[in-house]
Amino acid sequence: MKKIHNYINGSLKSLSNDELAVEDPSTGETIGKVVLSSEEDFKEAIESSKASQVEWSNTTPLKRSRILSNYKNLIEENLEDLAKIVSQEHGKTLDDAKGSITRGLEVVEFACGIPHLLKGEFSQNVGSNIDSWSIRQPLGVCAGITPFNFPAMVPMWMYPIAIACGNTFILKPSEKDPSCSIKLAQLFTEAGLPNGVFNVVQGDKKIVDLILRNSEISSVSFVGSTPVAKYIYEEAAKFGKRVQALGGAKNHLVVMPDANLNQAVDGIIGAGYGSAGERCMAISVAVAVGDIADELVEKIHVEAQNLKVAPWTDPESDMGPVISKEHKEKIEDYITLGVKEGAKLIEDGRNYKIQGYENGYFLGPTLFDNVTKEMTIYKEEIFGPVVSVIRAKDYDEALKLVNNHKYGNGTSIYTSDGEISRHFTTNSKIGMVGVNVPIPVPMAFHSFGGWKQSLFGDHSVHGMEGVHFYTKLKTITARWPKSIQSGPEFVLPTN
Ligand code: NAD
């Protein structure tokens, strides 16, 4: 059986004997064992990251950029293989896996521009014959802790920029689908990255705690569920680290009565059920405004019934299984609770069986109508193929729903009214907002991040936010001896 090790200093290696099963969610079979890092493993990773950091930070940004450029080419050449690794351990369709890797690749493309991105500011004559300029310097050793749902894309939101900025990086991927991170690290070595600049340590909470408390690590980037994000934020800050911790979501898509209904329905279907709802930008709430609700629910229902739920090996598959047996049961419990709390179950995805894949973790698309804001299925993140329709009498009520929810990751409005759309983008208390697009995921050269309980910290990921997160600002003020005036100055210069 395949073993998934750490990748430290350019080699696959584990000193520990602790293992955890890695499953194929389509079959429920164990397909590998991930070796959980021990303290000794972690020590090696830290030493290797530290040892390579100074030389790497002294490598010119242009040379770093050339290595990133080789890396970009290698990811493109290996796209199919990488996507298969993602699909097999995660369960998402092959096309969706390819799409997610491409979104990660775009961050590598962005990071190739690092010589330009690191340019500082310069002012001549801030005082008489005095110049001042700013530079951005790397933090040192950075760490990233990532979730199961995007085993390639989410790590790629972090390490290409951190490394481009001159840091070394330790990645702790999800223990549920750990193989892709190893392939990504090996390709980076092949691209010319010196050993130790990018290390991968496998494990669960134990290794996370070692990362959070280690004094050699300067920053922690985290993406995962909100309770863990909050813990990471507080704990890492306690140990003096710079931290960005992205959490869960409950994204609302508001459908106005003047919306193009078919487009809105397509948006809800793709963003609600794509990747079996296991996306932090999934649409889990459709807010039907005014008299559009009955028609909207009926159309979503028809389309949901037509979706093909199948393993990733079936090219016709629209959505695959969820990640694990426990997660499937948790989602089924939410559906049961939704019924108990009075929501109208229009389409029930429980007890979904696919011939030949009876032990897979499949659920059918599920649709609730008449959901209210008091219900648990509305308040909590389900992270599965469950769409809740909530009815609002007008736009103001819809906006209140969006703004009063504890999560603030993404939202979208479907309308043909420019004024409403402008009001929505200005006044929604959400980090990423779409107009007539279902998943407003910013491109690599913008930044990704939510508000409220969806992000703890001051920086979003990638784009210039990423460059700023992974660098320290230094401002230098200089004058040259011949211009120095005689005698000390006892008041602050105000030139
Ligand atoms: P998770 O929080 O269970 O795990 C994320 C990472 O934290 C993993 O590497 C895991 O090993 C580690 N971890 C888990 N429990 C821990 C603990 N108690 N202490 C320390 N470390 C711990 O999340 P998940 O189930 O892997 O991923 C799904 C969640 O991630 C969803 O809530 C989803 O919304 C969120 N997510 C958010 C974004 C975003 O951009 N905001 C993106 C993707 C996923």
Side-chain angles (χ1 to χ4, degrees), residues 145-150 154 157 172-176 203-206 208-209 212 222-226 228-229 231-232 246-249 279-281 381 383 409 432 448-450 454:
I145 300 155
T146 52
F148 78 83
N149 66 324
F150 284 109
V154 170
W157 284 351
K172 203 302 280 177
S174 170
E175 63 279 25
K176 298 191 176 105
D204 51 17
K205 179 173 167 51
K206 190 174 149 198
V208 170
D209 285 339
L212 299 179
F222 172 86
V223 176
S225 59
T226 287
V228 184
Y231 168 74
I232 301 277
L246 282 67
R279 290 183 185 138
C280 63
M281 287 295 270
E381 180 185 45
F383 217 56
N409 215 36
M432 294 170 282
F448 182 108
S454 297

mmCIF file of all heavy atoms in Angstrom, residues 145-150 154 157 172-176 203-206 208-209 212 222-226 228-229 231-232 246-249 279-281 381 383 409 432 448-450 454, ligand 1:
data_model
loop_
_atom_site.group_PDB
_atom_site.id
_atom_site.type_symbol
_atom_site.label_atom_id
_atom_site.label_comp_id
_atom_site.label_asym_id
_atom_site.label_seq_id
_atom_site.Cartn_x
_atom_site.Cartn_y
_atom_site.Cartn_z
ATOM 1 N N ILE A 145 -1.148 25.892 6.694
ATOM 2 C CA ILE A 145 -1.938 24.731 7.133
ATOM 3 C C ILE A 145 -3.218 24.753 6.301
ATOM 4 O O ILE A 145 -3.929 25.768 6.293
ATOM 5 C CB ILE A 145 -2.261 24.846 8.647
ATOM 6 C CG1 ILE A 145 -0.957 24.890 9.463
ATOM 7 C CG2 ILE A 145 -3.159 23.694 9.114
ATOM 8 C CD1 ILE A 145 -1.098 25.566 10.806
ATOM 9 N N THR A 146 -3.508 23.675 5.596
ATOM 10 C CA THR A 146 -4.549 23.758 4.564
ATOM 11 C C THR A 146 -5.637 22.685 4.708
ATOM 12 O O THR A 146 -5.415 21.642 5.321
ATOM 13 C CB THR A 146 -3.893 23.682 3.170
ATOM 14 O OG1 THR A 146 -3.055 22.540 3.108
ATOM 15 C CG2 THR A 146 -3.063 24.927 2.886
ATOM 16 N N PRO A 147 -6.816 22.937 4.109
ATOM 17 C CA PRO A 147 -7.962 22.032 4.272
ATOM 18 C C PRO A 147 -8.006 20.954 3.181
ATOM 19 O O PRO A 147 -7.231 21.009 2.222
ATOM 20 C CB PRO A 147 -9.142 22.989 4.092
ATOM 21 C CG PRO A 147 -8.658 23.974 3.088
ATOM 22 C CD PRO A 147 -7.178 24.130 3.316
ATOM 23 N N PHE A 148 -8.964 20.051 3.339
ATOM 24 C CA PHE A 148 -9.038 18.927 2.397
ATOM 25 C C PHE A 148 -9.653 19.325 1.058
ATOM 26 O O PHE A 148 -9.431 18.656 0.048
ATOM 27 C CB PHE A 148 -9.851 17.763 3.004
ATOM 28 C CG PHE A 148 -11.338 17.980 2.952
ATOM 29 C CD1 PHE A 148 -12.057 17.680 1.797
ATOM 30 C CD2 PHE A 148 -12.036 18.518 4.030
ATOM 31 C CE1 PHE A 148 -13.437 17.903 1.725
ATOM 32 C CE2 PHE A 148 -13.407 18.740 3.975
ATOM 33 C CZ PHE A 148 -14.097 18.430 2.816
ATOM 34 N N ASN A 149 -10.440 20.412 1.028
ATOM 35 C CA ASN A 149 -11.313 20.567 -0.144
ATOM 36 C C ASN A 149 -10.601 21.073 -1.402
ATOM 37 O O ASN A 149 -11.104 20.867 -2.500
ATOM 38 C CB ASN A 149 -12.540 21.439 0.193
ATOM 39 C CG ASN A 149 -12.195 22.862 0.499
ATOM 40 O OD1 ASN A 149 -11.170 23.125 1.101
ATOM 41 N ND2 ASN A 149 -13.033 23.777 0.077
ATOM 42 N N PHE A 150 -9.437 21.716 -1.218
ATOM 43 C CA PHE A 150 -8.630 22.104 -2.384
ATOM 44 C C PHE A 150 -7.175 21.737 -2.106
ATOM 45 O O PHE A 150 -6.369 22.611 -1.751
ATOM 46 C CB PHE A 150 -8.759 23.611 -2.653
ATOM 47 C CG PHE A 150 -10.063 24.005 -3.294
ATOM 48 C CD1 PHE A 150 -11.021 24.703 -2.580
ATOM 49 C CD2 PHE A 150 -10.325 23.677 -4.621
ATOM 50 C CE1 PHE A 150 -12.229 25.082 -3.173
ATOM 51 C CE2 PHE A 150 -11.525 24.048 -5.215
ATOM 52 C CZ PHE A 150 -12.483 24.748 -4.493
ATOM 53 N N VAL A 154 -5.469 25.619 -2.632
ATOM 54 C CA VAL A 154 -5.302 26.429 -1.417
ATOM 55 C C VAL A 154 -3.829 26.523 -0.997
ATOM 56 O O VAL A 154 -3.343 27.633 -0.745
ATOM 57 C CB VAL A 154 -6.235 25.953 -0.276
ATOM 58 C CG1 VAL A 154 -5.867 26.631 1.031
ATOM 59 C CG2 VAL A 154 -7.699 26.260 -0.619
ATOM 60 N N TRP A 157 -2.281 29.111 -3.028
ATOM 61 C CA TRP A 157 -2.582 30.499 -2.687
ATOM 62 C C TRP A 157 -1.439 31.082 -1.858
ATOM 63 O O TRP A 157 -1.271 32.293 -1.774
ATOM 64 C CB TRP A 157 -3.837 30.592 -1.814
ATOM 65 C CG TRP A 157 -5.149 30.413 -2.497
ATOM 66 C CD1 TRP A 157 -5.392 30.338 -3.831
ATOM 67 C CD2 TRP A 157 -6.422 30.294 -1.844
ATOM 68 N NE1 TRP A 157 -6.742 30.186 -4.050
ATOM 69 C CE2 TRP A 157 -7.392 30.157 -2.860
ATOM 70 C CE3 TRP A 157 -6.840 30.293 -0.511
ATOM 71 C CZ2 TRP A 157 -8.754 30.018 -2.575
ATOM 72 C CZ3 TRP A 157 -8.190 30.152 -0.236
ATOM 73 C CH2 TRP A 157 -9.134 30.016 -1.259
ATOM 74 N N LYS A 172 1.722 22.201 5.796
ATOM 75 C CA LYS A 172 1.074 21.064 6.473
ATOM 76 C C LYS A 172 -0.270 20.878 5.772
ATOM 77 O O LYS A 172 -1.250 21.552 6.063
ATOM 78 C CB LYS A 172 0.885 21.392 7.959
ATOM 79 C CG LYS A 172 0.741 20.197 8.886
ATOM 80 C CD LYS A 172 -0.396 19.268 8.559
ATOM 81 C CE LYS A 172 -1.742 19.740 9.046
ATOM 82 N NZ LYS A 172 -2.849 18.840 8.654
ATOM 83 N N PRO A 173 -0.331 19.935 4.811
ATOM 84 C CA PRO A 173 -1.586 19.754 4.080
ATOM 85 C C PRO A 173 -2.599 18.959 4.893
ATOM 86 O O PRO A 173 -2.271 18.420 5.958
ATOM 87 C CB PRO A 173 -1.148 18.946 2.848
ATOM 88 C CG PRO A 173 0.099 18.243 3.268
ATOM 89 C CD PRO A 173 0.727 19.021 4.382
ATOM 90 N N SER A 174 -3.802 18.869 4.374
ATOM 91 C CA SER A 174 -4.824 18.060 5.052
ATOM 92 C C SER A 174 -4.396 16.596 5.049
ATOM 93 O O SER A 174 -3.893 16.086 4.052
ATOM 94 C CB SER A 174 -6.159 18.206 4.330
ATOM 95 O OG SER A 174 -7.076 17.253 4.848
ATOM 96 N N GLU A 175 -4.626 15.935 6.149
ATOM 97 C CA GLU A 175 -4.279 14.513 6.255
ATOM 98 C C GLU A 175 -5.246 13.638 5.436
ATOM 99 O O GLU A 175 -5.004 12.457 5.234
ATOM 100 C CB GLU A 175 -4.263 14.066 7.728
ATOM 101 C CG GLU A 175 -5.588 14.150 8.486
ATOM 102 C CD GLU A 175 -5.918 15.566 9.011
ATOM 103 O OE1 GLU A 175 -5.434 16.556 8.441
ATOM 104 O OE2 GLU A 175 -6.700 15.649 9.984
ATOM 105 N N LYS A 176 -6.345 14.254 4.947
ATOM 106 C CA LYS A 176 -7.336 13.460 4.208
ATOM 107 C C LYS A 176 -6.935 13.253 2.750
ATOM 108 O O LYS A 176 -7.298 12.247 2.141
ATOM 109 C CB LYS A 176 -8.705 14.138 4.278
ATOM 110 C CG LYS A 176 -9.199 14.217 5.719
ATOM 111 C CD LYS A 176 -10.649 14.628 5.803
ATOM 112 C CE LYS A 176 -11.131 14.600 7.245
ATOM 113 N NZ LYS A 176 -11.266 15.925 7.841
ATOM 114 N N GLY A 203 0.524 15.396 8.786
ATOM 115 C CA GLY A 203 0.061 15.199 10.161
ATOM 116 C C GLY A 203 -1.268 15.850 10.427
ATOM 117 O O GLY A 203 -1.943 16.335 9.513
ATOM 118 N N ASP A 204 -1.627 15.838 11.735
ATOM 119 C CA ASP A 204 -2.905 16.430 12.132
ATOM 120 C C ASP A 204 -2.661 17.490 13.209
ATOM 121 O O ASP A 204 -1.680 18.203 13.165
ATOM 122 C CB ASP A 204 -3.890 15.333 12.571
ATOM 123 C CG ASP A 204 -3.249 14.397 13.597
ATOM 124 O OD1 ASP A 204 -2.211 14.787 14.183
ATOM 125 O OD2 ASP A 204 -3.779 13.294 13.815
ATOM 126 N N LYS A 205 -3.534 17.544 14.202
ATOM 127 C CA LYS A 205 -3.438 18.617 15.209
ATOM 128 C C LYS A 205 -2.069 18.665 15.899
ATOM 129 O O LYS A 205 -1.560 19.743 16.204
ATOM 130 C CB LYS A 205 -4.560 18.432 16.242
ATOM 131 C CG LYS A 205 -4.526 19.475 17.338
ATOM 132 C CD LYS A 205 -5.704 19.405 18.251
ATOM 133 C CE LYS A 205 -5.543 20.220 19.520
ATOM 134 N NZ LYS A 205 -5.133 21.605 19.360
ATOM 135 N N LYS A 206 -1.489 17.483 16.097
ATOM 136 C CA LYS A 206 -0.222 17.444 16.839
ATOM 137 C C LYS A 206 0.863 18.286 16.131
ATOM 138 O O LYS A 206 1.526 19.113 16.762
ATOM 139 C CB LYS A 206 0.227 15.984 16.950
ATOM 140 C CG LYS A 206 1.370 15.760 17.882
ATOM 141 C CD LYS A 206 1.635 14.277 18.037
ATOM 142 C CE LYS A 206 3.132 14.093 18.303
ATOM 143 N NZ LYS A 206 3.584 12.746 18.054
ATOM 144 N N VAL A 208 0.296 20.571 13.887
ATOM 145 C CA VAL A 208 -0.162 21.972 13.826
ATOM 146 C C VAL A 208 0.283 22.711 15.086
ATOM 147 O O VAL A 208 0.820 23.821 15.028
ATOM 148 C CB VAL A 208 -1.695 22.053 13.652
ATOM 149 C CG1 VAL A 208 -2.191 23.481 13.825
ATOM 150 C CG2 VAL A 208 -2.117 21.519 12.292
ATOM 151 N N ASP A 209 0.117 22.067 16.223
ATOM 152 C CA ASP A 209 0.508 22.722 17.478
ATOM 153 C C ASP A 209 2.012 22.958 17.550
ATOM 154 O O ASP A 209 2.469 23.975 18.083
ATOM 155 C CB ASP A 209 0.009 21.906 18.680
ATOM 156 C CG ASP A 209 -1.498 22.079 18.878
ATOM 157 O OD1 ASP A 209 -2.045 23.085 18.378
ATOM 158 O OD2 ASP A 209 -2.132 21.217 19.503
ATOM 159 N N LEU A 212 2.581 26.063 15.512
ATOM 160 C CA LEU A 212 2.106 27.299 16.149
ATOM 161 C C LEU A 212 3.049 27.772 17.248
ATOM 162 O O LEU A 212 3.192 28.965 17.487
ATOM 163 C CB LEU A 212 0.710 27.091 16.739
ATOM 164 C CG LEU A 212 -0.401 26.718 15.741
ATOM 165 C CD1 LEU A 212 -1.719 26.517 16.473
ATOM 166 C CD2 LEU A 212 -0.554 27.791 14.679
ATOM 167 N N PHE A 222 -3.480 30.024 7.395
ATOM 168 C CA PHE A 222 -4.376 28.878 7.621
ATOM 169 C C PHE A 222 -5.627 29.039 6.782
ATOM 170 O O PHE A 222 -6.156 30.141 6.646
ATOM 171 C CB PHE A 222 -4.771 28.795 9.100
ATOM 172 C CG PHE A 222 -5.844 27.755 9.370
ATOM 173 C CD1 PHE A 222 -5.505 26.431 9.597
ATOM 174 C CD2 PHE A 222 -7.201 28.107 9.365
ATOM 175 C CE1 PHE A 222 -6.490 25.475 9.821
ATOM 176 C CE2 PHE A 222 -8.191 27.156 9.588
ATOM 177 C CZ PHE A 222 -7.826 25.837 9.822
ATOM 178 N N VAL A 223 -6.113 27.915 6.253
ATOM 179 C CA VAL A 223 -7.440 27.881 5.630
ATOM 180 C C VAL A 223 -8.123 26.612 6.123
ATOM 181 O O VAL A 223 -7.551 25.519 6.060
ATOM 182 C CB VAL A 223 -7.345 27.879 4.086
ATOM 183 C CG1 VAL A 223 -8.735 27.737 3.471
ATOM 184 C CG2 VAL A 223 -6.696 29.164 3.579
ATOM 185 N N GLY A 224 -9.347 26.760 6.621
ATOM 186 C CA GLY A 224 -10.087 25.595 7.128
ATOM 187 C C GLY A 224 -11.373 26.046 7.787
ATOM 188 O O GLY A 224 -11.912 27.109 7.461
ATOM 189 N N SER A 225 -11.848 25.266 8.747
ATOM 190 C CA SER A 225 -13.133 25.587 9.377
ATOM 191 C C SER A 225 -12.964 26.719 10.400
ATOM 192 O O SER A 225 -11.868 26.938 10.921
ATOM 193 C CB SER A 225 -13.678 24.333 10.068
ATOM 194 O OG SER A 225 -12.744 23.895 11.023
ATOM 195 N N THR A 226 -14.055 27.388 10.713
ATOM 196 C CA THR A 226 -13.979 28.567 11.587
ATOM 197 C C THR A 226 -13.474 28.267 13.004
ATOM 198 O O THR A 226 -12.611 28.999 13.499
ATOM 199 C CB THR A 226 -15.339 29.297 11.603
ATOM 200 O OG1 THR A 226 -15.463 29.958 10.338
ATOM 201 C CG2 THR A 226 -15.440 30.331 12.707
ATOM 202 N N VAL A 228 -11.399 26.068 14.045
ATOM 203 C CA VAL A 228 -9.949 25.841 14.002
ATOM 204 C C VAL A 228 -9.235 27.140 13.600
ATOM 205 O O VAL A 228 -8.192 27.479 14.160
ATOM 206 C CB VAL A 228 -9.583 24.665 13.056
ATOM 207 C CG1 VAL A 228 -8.082 24.396 13.102
ATOM 208 C CG2 VAL A 228 -10.338 23.396 13.442
ATOM 209 N N ALA A 229 -9.822 27.898 12.669
ATOM 210 C CA ALA A 229 -9.223 29.174 12.242
ATOM 211 C C ALA A 229 -9.053 30.112 13.446
ATOM 212 O O ALA A 229 -8.019 30.761 13.602
ATOM 213 C CB ALA A 229 -10.087 29.841 11.175
ATOM 214 N N TYR A 231 -8.856 29.264 16.601
ATOM 215 C CA TYR A 231 -7.823 28.698 17.475
ATOM 216 C C TYR A 231 -6.421 29.038 16.938
ATOM 217 O O TYR A 231 -5.537 29.476 17.674
ATOM 218 C CB TYR A 231 -8.029 27.178 17.554
ATOM 219 C CG TYR A 231 -6.878 26.423 18.175
ATOM 220 C CD1 TYR A 231 -6.656 26.470 19.558
ATOM 221 C CD2 TYR A 231 -6.012 25.671 17.387
ATOM 222 C CE1 TYR A 231 -5.584 25.788 20.119
ATOM 223 C CE2 TYR A 231 -4.952 24.984 17.944
ATOM 224 C CZ TYR A 231 -4.739 25.044 19.312
ATOM 225 O OH TYR A 231 -3.683 24.366 19.857
ATOM 226 N N ILE A 232 -6.249 28.852 15.620
ATOM 227 C CA ILE A 232 -4.940 29.113 14.992
ATOM 228 C C ILE A 232 -4.573 30.587 15.167
ATOM 229 O O ILE A 232 -3.441 30.928 15.509
ATOM 230 C CB ILE A 232 -4.992 28.775 13.472
ATOM 231 C CG1 ILE A 232 -5.372 27.315 13.223
ATOM 232 C CG2 ILE A 232 -3.708 29.208 12.734
ATOM 233 C CD1 ILE A 232 -4.290 26.310 13.310
ATOM 234 N N LEU A 246 -8.215 31.791 7.488
ATOM 235 C CA LEU A 246 -9.479 31.856 6.750
ATOM 236 C C LEU A 246 -10.384 30.715 7.196
ATOM 237 O O LEU A 246 -9.931 29.566 7.315
ATOM 238 C CB LEU A 246 -9.221 31.758 5.238
ATOM 239 C CG LEU A 246 -8.727 33.044 4.555
ATOM 240 C CD1 LEU A 246 -7.327 33.438 5.013
ATOM 241 C CD2 LEU A 246 -8.743 32.889 3.046
ATOM 242 N N GLY A 247 -11.658 31.036 7.459
ATOM 243 C CA GLY A 247 -12.572 30.040 8.016
ATOM 244 C C GLY A 247 -13.714 29.667 7.086
ATOM 245 O O GLY A 247 -13.606 29.775 5.866
ATOM 246 N N GLY A 248 -14.806 29.229 7.687
ATOM 247 C CA GLY A 248 -15.943 28.685 6.950
ATOM 248 C C GLY A 248 -16.820 29.760 6.319
ATOM 249 O O GLY A 248 -16.493 30.952 6.328
ATOM 250 N N ALA A 249 -17.958 29.318 5.791
ATOM 251 C CA ALA A 249 -18.789 30.247 5.009
ATOM 252 C C ALA A 249 -20.236 29.776 4.953
ATOM 253 O O ALA A 249 -20.552 28.612 5.229
ATOM 254 C CB ALA A 249 -18.236 30.335 3.596
ATOM 255 N N ARG A 279 -17.085 23.538 -1.162
ATOM 256 C CA ARG A 279 -16.255 24.694 -1.518
ATOM 257 C C ARG A 279 -16.582 25.813 -0.544
ATOM 258 O O ARG A 279 -17.753 26.017 -0.221
ATOM 259 C CB ARG A 279 -16.600 25.207 -2.924
ATOM 260 C CG ARG A 279 -16.184 24.314 -4.066
ATOM 261 C CD ARG A 279 -16.539 25.033 -5.364
ATOM 262 N NE ARG A 279 -16.286 24.236 -6.533
ATOM 263 C CZ ARG A 279 -17.129 24.165 -7.575
ATOM 264 N NH1 ARG A 279 -18.273 24.833 -7.573
ATOM 265 N NH2 ARG A 279 -16.818 23.445 -8.623
ATOM 266 N N CYS A 280 -15.561 26.561 -0.148
ATOM 267 C CA CYS A 280 -15.842 27.665 0.776
ATOM 268 C C CYS A 280 -16.612 28.767 0.060
ATOM 269 O O CYS A 280 -17.177 29.638 0.693
ATOM 270 C CB CYS A 280 -14.562 28.225 1.347
ATOM 271 S SG CYS A 280 -13.527 28.934 0.072
ATOM 272 N N MET A 281 -16.629 28.743 -1.277
ATOM 273 C CA MET A 281 -17.408 29.735 -2.021
ATOM 274 C C MET A 281 -18.684 29.104 -2.602
ATOM 275 O O MET A 281 -19.321 29.693 -3.488
ATOM 276 C CB MET A 281 -16.563 30.364 -3.115
ATOM 277 C CG MET A 281 -15.511 31.334 -2.564
ATOM 278 S SD MET A 281 -16.235 32.779 -1.764
ATOM 279 C CE MET A 281 -16.347 33.892 -3.153
ATOM 280 N N GLU A 381 -22.679 26.163 8.766
ATOM 281 C CA GLU A 381 -22.112 25.698 7.493
ATOM 282 C C GLU A 381 -22.302 24.169 7.418
ATOM 283 O O GLU A 381 -21.881 23.449 8.326
ATOM 284 C CB GLU A 381 -20.616 26.035 7.434
ATOM 285 C CG GLU A 381 -19.964 25.585 6.138
ATOM 286 C CD GLU A 381 -18.450 25.817 6.117
ATOM 287 O OE1 GLU A 381 -17.770 25.518 7.108
ATOM 288 O OE2 GLU A 381 -17.957 26.289 5.075
ATOM 289 N N PHE A 383 -21.511 22.333 4.415
ATOM 290 C CA PHE A 383 -20.397 21.893 3.566
ATOM 291 C C PHE A 383 -20.720 20.584 2.834
ATOM 292 O O PHE A 383 -19.969 19.605 2.857
ATOM 293 C CB PHE A 383 -19.125 21.749 4.406
ATOM 294 C CG PHE A 383 -17.887 22.184 3.664
ATOM 295 C CD1 PHE A 383 -17.790 23.448 3.116
ATOM 296 C CD2 PHE A 383 -16.811 21.326 3.490
ATOM 297 C CE1 PHE A 383 -16.656 23.853 2.421
ATOM 298 C CE2 PHE A 383 -15.669 21.717 2.799
ATOM 299 C CZ PHE A 383 -15.599 22.984 2.270
ATOM 300 N N ASN A 409 -17.974 35.386 3.815
ATOM 301 C CA ASN A 409 -16.989 35.029 2.786
ATOM 302 C C ASN A 409 -17.378 35.599 1.418
ATOM 303 O O ASN A 409 -16.761 36.500 0.907
ATOM 304 C CB ASN A 409 -16.860 33.505 2.707
ATOM 305 C CG ASN A 409 -15.437 33.082 2.389
ATOM 306 O OD1 ASN A 409 -14.491 33.710 2.852
ATOM 307 N ND2 ASN A 409 -15.276 32.032 1.596
ATOM 308 N N MET A 432 -16.170 39.093 -0.566
ATOM 309 C CA MET A 432 -16.116 38.889 -2.020
ATOM 310 C C MET A 432 -17.548 38.891 -2.564
ATOM 311 O O MET A 432 -18.374 38.078 -2.140
ATOM 312 C CB MET A 432 -15.402 37.572 -2.326
ATOM 313 C CG MET A 432 -13.929 37.630 -1.905
ATOM 314 S SD MET A 432 -13.068 36.066 -1.956
ATOM 315 C CE MET A 432 -13.625 35.247 -0.476
ATOM 316 N N PHE A 448 -7.955 37.210 -2.115
ATOM 317 C CA PHE A 448 -9.082 36.371 -1.713
ATOM 318 C C PHE A 448 -9.219 36.424 -0.194
ATOM 319 O O PHE A 448 -8.285 36.119 0.534
ATOM 320 C CB PHE A 448 -8.805 34.925 -2.157
ATOM 321 C CG PHE A 448 -9.914 33.959 -1.850
ATOM 322 C CD1 PHE A 448 -10.710 33.439 -2.869
ATOM 323 C CD2 PHE A 448 -10.180 33.556 -0.541
ATOM 324 C CE1 PHE A 448 -11.737 32.555 -2.590
ATOM 325 C CE2 PHE A 448 -11.212 32.675 -0.255
ATOM 326 C CZ PHE A 448 -11.988 32.164 -1.286
ATOM 327 N N GLY A 449 -10.409 36.755 0.283
ATOM 328 C CA GLY A 449 -10.613 36.708 1.728
ATOM 329 C C GLY A 449 -11.982 37.206 2.126
ATOM 330 O O GLY A 449 -12.556 38.076 1.474
ATOM 331 N N GLY A 450 -12.515 36.626 3.196
ATOM 332 C CA GLY A 450 -13.840 37.010 3.661
ATOM 333 C C GLY A 450 -13.766 37.994 4.818
ATOM 334 O O GLY A 450 -12.686 38.451 5.211
ATOM 335 N N SER A 454 -15.364 34.530 8.723
ATOM 336 C CA SER A 454 -14.716 33.827 7.608
ATOM 337 C C SER A 454 -13.239 34.159 7.476
ATOM 338 O O SER A 454 -12.552 33.549 6.654
ATOM 339 C CB SER A 454 -15.438 34.144 6.287
ATOM 340 O OG SER A 454 -16.759 33.670 6.324
HETATM 341 P P1 NAD B 1 -10.481 21.704 9.165
HETATM 342 O O1 NAD B 1 -10.552 22.975 9.927
HETATM 343 O O2 NAD B 1 -11.015 20.478 9.797
HETATM 344 O O3 NAD B 1 -8.923 21.361 8.828
HETATM 345 C C1 NAD B 1 -8.082 22.299 8.216
HETATM 346 C C2 NAD B 1 -6.650 22.013 8.628
HETATM 347 O O4 NAD B 1 -6.521 22.158 10.044
HETATM 348 C C3 NAD B 1 -6.184 20.603 8.303
HETATM 349 O O5 NAD B 1 -4.867 20.660 7.836
HETATM 350 C C4 NAD B 1 -6.282 19.865 9.639
HETATM 351 O O6 NAD B 1 -5.312 18.848 9.775
HETATM 352 C C5 NAD B 1 -6.055 20.956 10.651
HETATM 353 N N1 NAD B 1 -6.840 20.759 11.889
HETATM 354 C C6 NAD B 1 -8.059 20.176 12.006
HETATM 355 N N2 NAD B 1 -8.479 20.213 13.281
HETATM 356 C C7 NAD B 1 -7.523 20.861 13.983
HETATM 357 C C8 NAD B 1 -7.393 21.224 15.362
HETATM 358 N N3 NAD B 1 -8.331 20.939 16.262
HETATM 359 N N4 NAD B 1 -6.274 21.877 15.738
HETATM 360 C C9 NAD B 1 -5.316 22.191 14.845
HETATM 361 N N5 NAD B 1 -5.391 21.856 13.536
HETATM 362 C C10 NAD B 1 -6.480 21.210 13.100
HETATM 363 O O7 NAD B 1 -11.138 21.972 7.733
HETATM 364 P P2 NAD B 1 -11.441 20.924 6.571
HETATM 365 O O8 NAD B 1 -12.566 20.045 6.996
HETATM 366 O O9 NAD B 1 -10.182 20.293 6.112
HETATM 367 O O10 NAD B 1 -11.921 21.910 5.414
HETATM 368 C C11 NAD B 1 -13.229 22.386 5.282
HETATM 369 C C12 NAD B 1 -13.397 23.754 5.890
HETATM 370 O O11 NAD B 1 -12.470 24.671 5.297
HETATM 371 C C13 NAD B 1 -14.774 24.358 5.635
HETATM 372 O O12 NAD B 1 -15.206 24.979 6.814
HETATM 373 C C14 NAD B 1 -14.530 25.383 4.536
HETATM 374 O O13 NAD B 1 -15.450 26.441 4.496
HETATM 375 C C15 NAD B 1 -13.168 25.862 4.910
HETATM 376 N N6 NAD B 1 -12.492 26.484 3.783
HETATM 377 C C16 NAD B 1 -12.399 27.844 3.799
HETATM 378 C C17 NAD B 1 -11.807 28.485 2.734
HETATM 379 C C18 NAD B 1 -11.698 29.981 2.728
HETATM 380 O O14 NAD B 1 -11.047 30.501 1.848
HETATM 381 N N7 NAD B 1 -12.294 30.701 3.652
HETATM 382 C C19 NAD B 1 -11.299 27.753 1.655
HETATM 383 C C20 NAD B 1 -11.399 26.364 1.680
HETATM 384 C C21 NAD B 1 -12.008 25.739 2.759
#
